[in-house]
Amino acid sequence: MIHVKVNAKGALKSIATIVDGLDLAVDRGLSRTAFKGQEVAKSKSKGSVSKAIGVSQTQDGYELQARAPHSVFVEHGRGPVQAKPGGVLRFVVAGRVVFAKRVRAARPRPFMAPAHRVMTKSRFVEHELSALIRGA
């Protein structure tokens, strides 16, 4: 005769270990996802925009932010800009102050969109959960 036993206590202990570790595993996966997005966004941008890209922890998880005020114009581009009558535009290029009556449109140079694509496709949460389950 063949006997098979199931160890209910061992199974329950493994389940308890998994349940206890879920929050931390998900948090680690979300954190890794956000910081991977930051790495991609910084690699696709430069200067003050790149320096202003950061990750913040929120109540719901993590948030990737481009905090430079002009980030939106770099990401999406902008139309031409003309100074008000009698005025001039002033900005800094390569450390030099430049004055102009008007500037041409700036093409988009996306840096957050590629980061979003990478973050959406990342599997860091799944990897953390798999590691948790394998270790239980």
Side-chain angles (χ1 to χ4, degrees):
M1 182 176 280
I2 298 174
H3 295 277
V4 178
K5 290 184 179 182
V6 177
N7 183 346
K9 287 182 183 178
L12 290 175
K13 184 178 176 185
S14 292
I15 291 171
T17 301
I18 291 169
V19 169
D20 290 344
L22 274 177
D23 286 344
L24 182 59
V26 170
D27 186 67
R28 263 196 318 258
L30 292 174
S31 172
R32 289 179 63 196
T33 301
F35 282 102
K36 183 62 177 179
Q38 179 185 31
E39 180 184 317
V40 170
K42 283 184 173 235
S43 74
K44 301 284 184 186
S45 61
K46 52 188 175 181
S48 60
V49 172
S50 180
K51 290 176 188 161
I53 295 170
V55 173
S56 299
Q57 188 169 13
T58 66
Q59 273 188 310
D60 300 327
Y62 291 84
E63 184 175 86
L64 178 63
Q65 302 169 335
R67 297 181 189 109
H70 58 288
S71 296
V72 67
F73 300 120
V74 175
E75 179 77 13
H76 301 291
R78 59 152 179 75
V81 178
Q82 187 153 342
K84 293 178 181 175
V88 293
L89 302 172
R90 179 192 178 278
F91 46 95
V92 178
V93 177
R96 286 188 16 226
V97 177
V98 177
F99 297 94
K101 286 281 188 189
R102 66 179 151 264
V103 291
R104 289 182 277 181
R107 66 176 176 75
R109 293 183 311 224
F111 58 95
M112 292 295 272
H116 179 263
R117 279 193 295 277
V118 167
M119 291 169 69
T120 302
K121 292 179 181 178
S122 82
R123 308 282 299 190
F124 291 121
V125 174
E126 289 87 346
H127 289 255
E128 291 292 337
L129 291 174
S130 294
L132 173 65
I133 292 168
R134 281 192 309 273

